[in-house]
Amino acid sequence: MNKNYYAILMAGGVGSRFWPVSTQDFPKQFHDMLGTGDTLIQKTFNRLANLIPKENIFILTNERYNDLVFEQLPDVTERQVVLEPAMRNTAPCILYAALKIQKENKDAVMIVAPSDHWIEDEAAFTSNVQQAFDFCSQNDALMTLGIQPSFPNTGYGYIEYDKSNNSDIKPVNQFREKPDYETAKEFIAQGNFLWNAGIFMWSVSSVVDAYKKNQPELYQLFKNGIEVYNTEREDDFIRENYKKAENISVDYAIMESSRNVYVLPATFDWNDLGTWGSLYDKLDKDKANNAVVNARTLTEDASGNMIRTKGDKIVVVDGLQDYIIVDKDEVLLIFPKAKEQDIKKVLQKVKSTFGEHYG
């Protein structure tokens, strides 16, 4: 294991499209969404540990999830858990963590990885990250892993790379916003567009320099804490200053405005597990194409359903096609898969009608 390799595991999101399983108090990354025996954050941590020393994997999360992190990752220490006292998107927290790592090891090369993605071929993932780390160790580069698009998805941003470049690692021409369907089809037809998976790699010096150039105010805000980072006084500084940070993503903050951005087309299958439908796509199905997690089912004239319960509950379904059926404690969700993007709106209605604790 290379002592200069580090990871920032992003684990602060709520995952509201996975309600009622995912809630503000217990979001999806802390659940075993796939029924494998491991939660998503556990799977991600173990995947990163194939290449990165366990003690160099930092978990970046909201302070309300501190106890959940230590419950599910009992080997990590307080040094490795970086807590956000306020929600401020990805740019502030990545800069904060990068400055902490730089103070500890100026030669660090790091990956930023979401905690809730599905990656089946872990050997290919490790190989891709190693290739990126080798490149970032020798070049002033901001890198990302791009996913080969399998269909014209309108739910992801896209990365356009230089198609004239024949090397594995491509210079990025530009990042593109989530497109409409026709534009997504055009992207795929051009052949040099990849899905943006939000997985980044860089040397700590390159990323800190990028913030310094492109986000001077944000950089100065967190640079003011250099003296206290990794000491007992760090918490006081962050509580006082973190809320002053702009609410901005790392894509907007540095990736879209930097000229030294590169992408490696990934060689592994990937799914961001953003919705019940995306989970359905990755699960094994029964003869009627129902995907089932935990439950024991008896189905009649029922197909294409996503069924999830706690434990070994018996679920009888007759006459339903393409529905999400999720049972959790006091909530039962029966909802058309075609309308899954509306689950966030339904959650707001539930909270306003029955109380905040249901979300």
Side-chain angles (χ1 to χ4, degrees), residues 345-356 358:
K345 297 177 190 172
V346 170
L347 170 57
Q348 295 308 314
K349 288 181 183 176
V350 168
K351 289 200 289 188
S352 63
T353 305
F354 299 109
E356 285 289 324
Y358 286 101

Side-chain angles (χ1 to χ4, degrees), residues 113-151:
S115 60
D116 51 4
H117 288 182
W118 177 93
I119 293 170
E120 187 169 22
D121 190 343
E122 298 199 344
F125 171 82
T126 301
S127 175
N128 285 174
V129 175
Q130 180 69 69
Q131 191 175 355
F133 274 9
D134 291 343
F135 186 82
C136 293
S137 298
Q138 297 160 17
N139 299 277
D140 176 23
L142 306 177
M143 273 201 67
T144 183
L145 290 179
I147 308 301
Q148 299 281 4
S150 52
F151 65 100

Side-chain angles (χ1 to χ4, degrees), residues 99 219-229 237 241:
L99 288 169
Y219 170 77
Q220 192 59 49
L221 176 67
F222 284 96
K223 181 178 179 289
N224 290 338
I226 288 286
E227 186 183 323
V228 301
Y229 291 157
F237 173 83
N241 290 281

Side-chain angles (χ1 to χ4, degrees), residues 42-300:
Q42 289 169 335
K43 288 185 76 68
T44 306
F45 186 93
N46 292 333
R47 184 186 310 126
L48 293 169
N50 290 328
L51 180 65
I52 296 158
K54 285 186 177 181
E55 63 273 17
N56 287 356
I57 301 175
F58 286 73
I59 292 87
L60 215 157
T61 191
N62 190 275
E63 61 182 7
R64 72 194 298 174
Y65 307 136
N66 186 51
D67 292 344
L68 280 172
V69 169
F70 286 110
E71 274 174 37
Q72 298 201 2
L73 301 173
D75 292 337
V76 306
T77 63
E78 286 189 19
R79 162 186 156 275
Q80 293 169 256
V81 182
V82 182
L83 299 176
E84 306 166 84
M87 294 283 203
R88 284 295 183 275
N89 215 314
T90 53
C93 58
I94 289 172
L95 173 59
Y96 169 33
L99 288 169
K100 280 173 60 66
I101 291 170
Q102 186 179 46
K103 186 177 180 183
E104 179 176 294
N105 182 349
K106 63 182 176 58
D107 298 318
V109 183
M110 56 196 264
I111 178 172
V112 177
S115 60
D116 51 4
H117 288 182
W118 177 93
I119 293 170
E120 187 169 22
D121 190 343
E122 298 199 344
F125 171 82
T126 301
S127 175
N128 285 174
V129 175
Q130 180 69 69
Q131 191 175 355
F133 274 9
D134 291 343
F135 186 82
C136 293
S137 298
Q138 297 160 17
N139 299 277
D140 176 23
L142 306 177
M143 273 201 67
T144 183
L145 290 179
I147 308 301
Q148 299 281 4
S150 52
F151 65 100
N153 195 315
T154 59
Y156 301 142
Y158 284 70
I159 302 163
E160 180 186 352
Y161 63 81
D162 179 1
K163 64 164 60 172
S164 68
N165 189 288
N166 293 320
S167 61
D168 289 345
I169 294 171
K170 318 281 191 184
V172 170
N173 288 345
Q174 60 180 323
F175 289 83
R176 304 291 287 266
E177 295 293 321
K178 295 175 183 177
D180 59 30
Y181 185 71
E182 290 304 316
T183 306
K185 285 203 296 187
E186 288 173 18
F187 287 172
I188 291 179
Q190 288 184 48
N192 61 324
F193 282 79
L194 303 166
W195 289 338
N196 184 357
I199 304 171
F200 305 104
M201 291 115 334
W202 40 53
S203 69
V204 72
S205 57
S206 289
V207 72
V208 170
D209 282 349
Y211 276 99
K212 193 174 181 179
K213 289 175 191 168
N214 297 296
Q215 297 293 328
E217 287 185 22
L218 192 64
Y219 170 77
Q220 192 59 49
L221 176 67
F222 284 96
K223 181 178 179 289
N224 290 338
I226 288 286
E227 186 183 323
V228 301
Y229 291 157
N230 308 336
T231 74
E232 290 180 355
R233 291 179 292 151
E234 176 180 337
D235 188 55
D236 289 339
F237 173 83
I238 288 299
R239 285 193 176 281
E240 183 180 340
N241 290 281
Y242 199 90
K243 61 190 176 216
K244 301 174 187 174
E246 184 180 356
N247 189 357
I248 183 173
S249 74
V250 72
D251 298 77
Y252 282 123
I254 62 171
M255 298 300 281
E256 294 184 7
S257 49
S258 296
R259 297 187 177 274
N260 57 333
V261 181
Y262 297 84
V263 64
L264 175 63
T267 59
F268 51 85
D269 286 336
W270 168 91
N271 191 300
D272 73 339
L273 292 186
T275 64
W276 285 112
S278 64
L279 178 62
Y280 170 87
D281 290 341
K282 288 303 168 192
L283 291 169
D284 291 335
K285 317 292 191 298
D286 64 17
K287 289 178 182 177
N289 273 331
N290 297 302
V292 181
V293 178
N294 299 333
R296 290 181 287 166
T297 58
L298 190 62
T299 60
E300 185 74 33

